[in-house]
């Protein structure tokens, strides 16, 4: 029986064919937050507490990246045997912010300034579920 | 340079860094007694006990000020306990400095001590999906060295830094700390040793990244009046302290965050966070980078030490590798950076480290740093940054 695909964290991204991170935008000043701002706008000159959910850009450019060759501590769910993985910090032009994500696919082509797009990929699995997370994949 | 907001450093003390596996209180009391003796005082003379907390040693660690006060013997002294991650030591120092400058206290003890587990610093245990520090490990495997590696990779890409440049920082610091009796690692490290060490978080290798250690440091500070009354008019002085937060929007990705602030609504400020930490300390002290003879900076990684050169204003952005290669940051240079050996030789003992930086600068300004003495040192600075937006910097003068 196929495993059920579930998000590894609730409500941070959409699960469709064109997945996107879900943040929110301050209704007063327009500042974007990811993860969502919960209670108050963090712009010090804005006292708004009203936000609208917003899907973030699905593409961006790599600001920096790092490839980890040692198994991190729990709660990271490392595959057995452990495999090195790459984490990228990606600049989103429209939102004027940098968002982290693991790199999906061939990380040897990573470079600062590389175009990447958002995909969903398996983070870990148990007997019934496949837990998915957003990742950045090198774009054509 | 003298100001009516200066305070005196009367005593400094440390417990050697290592992996001793004993109770943090023991280390803290060794450091505290060292600092009190160095000040020529006794515990009963201390008005205020300011502790820097540890999060890994249960309740006694959360109330460190009282824990140390009780271990030294209840004396009725006022007490405070501060937590600001890696900046805890300076927050504890600032709490005591402000009480002194307010005229509410003559002489205070500041203590930080830690016992650390092996390996990566991990988030607190349990299932905590609302805690960003837990989630960054869960969803991204974003260990602390991952963030250090982001900055290192930026230096390589933007300024043309190389892994060899980073290795040279380690070689320098290992040499600086060779005879430091409080350092955990006192061994020459060659360029080849660094380059042959395994890659942890590419581009950083094992010997580019600092370890975690047990250790403790303490200082006794007082008003200048008190110092004069006790025959110490020429004591080393704290001329400036910075405990600033970032200014919105902070455009640099910071541990343990998932993202930076968005600059959609407000433009990015001229000074980034790390620059602003130094700027606030310089402003309070009324001096600048050209006045510094030495600096103790937080070399969590070798590449990060190079970043600090620029944030301190020792050189322009992109010139740190050249500053290092020219020998400006070692003995004989214009500003010796990490004469103690830095975190490269100590390993990080979180609540003790920022206080240890103050101890080191104090020894140099007194001319008591032995083999590693920076000749004729008159002004020195410490700088670091604590998780979740804590600036930490102290300017010391003689």
């Amino acid at each position: 029986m196929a495993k059920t695909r579930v998000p590894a964290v609730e409500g941070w991204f959409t699960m469709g064919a064109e997945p996107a991170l879900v943040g929110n935008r301050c209704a007063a000043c327009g500042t974007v937050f990811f993860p969502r701002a919960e209670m108050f706008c963090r712009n010090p000159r804005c006292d708004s507490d009203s936000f609208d959910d917003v899907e973030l850009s699905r593409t961006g450019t790599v600001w920096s990246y790092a490839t980890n060759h040692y198994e991190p501590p729990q709660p990271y769910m490392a595959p057995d045997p452990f495999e090195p993985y790459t984490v990228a910090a990606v600049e989103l032009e429209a939102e004027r912010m940098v968002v982290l994500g693991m790199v999906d696919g061939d990380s040897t082509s990573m470079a600062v300034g590389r175009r990447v797009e958002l995909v969903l990929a398996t983070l870990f699995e148990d007997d019934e579920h496949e837990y998915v997370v957003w990742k950045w994949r090198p774009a054509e | 340079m003298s100001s009516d907001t200066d305070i005196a450093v009367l005593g400094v003390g440390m417990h050697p860094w290592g992996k001793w596996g004993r109770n943090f209180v023991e280390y803290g009391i060794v450091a505290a007694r060292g600092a009190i003796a160095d000040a020529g005082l006794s515990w009963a003379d201390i008005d205020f006990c300011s502790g820097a907390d540890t999060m890994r040693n249960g309740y006694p660690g959360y109330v460190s000020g009282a824990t140390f006060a009780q271990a030294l013997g209840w004396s009725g002294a006022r007490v405070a306990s501060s937590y600001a991650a890696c900046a805890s030591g300076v927050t504890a120092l600032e709490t005591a400095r402000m009480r002194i400058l307010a005229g509410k206290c003559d002489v205070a003890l500041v203590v930080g001590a830690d016992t650390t587990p092996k390996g990566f610093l991990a988030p607190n245990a349990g299932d905590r999906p609302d805690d960003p520090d837990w989630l960054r490990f869960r969803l991204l495997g974003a260990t602390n060295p991952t963030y250090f590696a982001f900055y290192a990779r930026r230096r390589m890409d933007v300024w043309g830094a190389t892994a060899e440049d980073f290795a040279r920082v380690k070689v320098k610091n290992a040499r600086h700390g060779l005879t430091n009796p409080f350092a955990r690692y006192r061994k020459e490290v060659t360029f080849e040793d660094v380059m042959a060490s395994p890659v942890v978080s590419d581009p950083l290798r094992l010997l580019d990244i600092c370890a975690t250690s047990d250790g403790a440091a303490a200082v006794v500070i007082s008003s200048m009046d008190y110092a004069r009354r006790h025959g110490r008019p020429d004591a080393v002085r704290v001329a400036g302290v910075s405990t600033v937060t970032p200014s919105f929007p902070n455009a640099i990705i910071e541990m343990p965050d998932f993202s930076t602030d968005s600059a959609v609504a407000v433009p990015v400020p001229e000074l980034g966070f790390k620059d602003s930490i130094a700027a606030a300390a310089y402003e309070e002290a009324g001096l600048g980078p050209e006045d510094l003879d030495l600096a103790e900076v937080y070399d969590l990684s070798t590449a990060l030490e190079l970043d600090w050169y620029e944030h301190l204003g020792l050189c322009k952005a992109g010139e740190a590798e050249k500053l290092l290669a020219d020998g400006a940051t070692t003995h004989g240079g214009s500003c010796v950076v990490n004469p103690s050996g830095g975190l490269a030789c100590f390993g990080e003992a979180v609540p003790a480290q920022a206080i240890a930086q103050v101890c080191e600068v104090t020894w140099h300004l007194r001319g008591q740093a032995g083999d590693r003495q920076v000749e004729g040192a008159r002004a020195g600075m410490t700088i670091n940054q604590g998780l979740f937006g804590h600036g930490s910097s102290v300017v010391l003068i003689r």
Side-chain angles (χ1 to χ4, degrees), chain A residues 8-9 12 25 29-35 42-45 62-77 85 87-89 91 94-102 111-112 123-124 133-134, chain B residues 120-123 126-127 129 133-135 137-143 145-147 149-154 157-158 198-203 206 248 251-253 257-268:
Chain A
V9 60
W12 284 32
R25 183 187 295 277
C29 76
T31 298
V32 178
F33 297 96
F34 176 81
R42 295 201 293 269
N43 172 356
R45 291 166 203 84
V62 173
W63 181 81
S64 194
Y65 62 99
T67 302
N68 289 330
H69 292 260
Y70 277 63
E71 185 174 328
Q74 293 276 351
Y76 183 73
M77 306 289 278
Y85 61 95
V87 185
E91 274 185 296
E95 293 81 3
R96 301 217 41 210
M97 68 196 293
V98 169
V99 177
L100 301 186
M102 292 172 78
V112 172
L123 183 64
F124 61 95
V133 74
W134 79 93
Chain B
F120 284 119
L121 287 186
D127 207 32
D133 199 40
W134 187 89
L135 278 169
F137 281 90
R138 178 66 147 207
L139 300 178
L140 302 174
T143 55
T146 306
Y147 293 82
F150 289 153
Y151 307 141
R153 175 63 64 187
R154 281 296 286 185
D157 190 77
V158 177
V199 174
V200 173
S201 194
D202 191 15
L206 189 62
F248 181 88
I252 300 297
I253 187 76
D257 296 340
F258 279 86
S259 67
T260 63
D261 293 329
S262 156
V264 163
V266 180
V268 174

Side-chain angles (χ1 to χ4, degrees), chain A residues 13-87:
Chain A
F13 48 85
T14 61
M15 292 283 286
E18 294 208 325
L21 295 172
V22 179
N24 61 9
R25 183 187 295 277
C26 172
C29 76
T31 298
V32 178
F33 297 96
F34 176 81
R36 289 181 188 84
E38 294 289 342
M39 289 168 283
F40 308 104
C41 183
R42 295 201 293 269
N43 172 356
R45 291 166 203 84
C46 178
D47 58 5
S48 167
D49 55 8
S50 174
F51 302 93
D52 302 307
D53 274 5
V54 57
E55 291 189 7
L56 305 191
S57 301
R58 299 192 56 253
T59 58
T61 28
V62 173
W63 181 81
S64 194
Y65 62 99
T67 302
N68 289 330
H69 292 260
Y70 277 63
E71 185 174 328
Q74 293 276 351
Y76 183 73
M77 306 289 278
D80 187 15
F82 170 73
E83 288 166 24
Y85 61 95
T86 302
V87 185

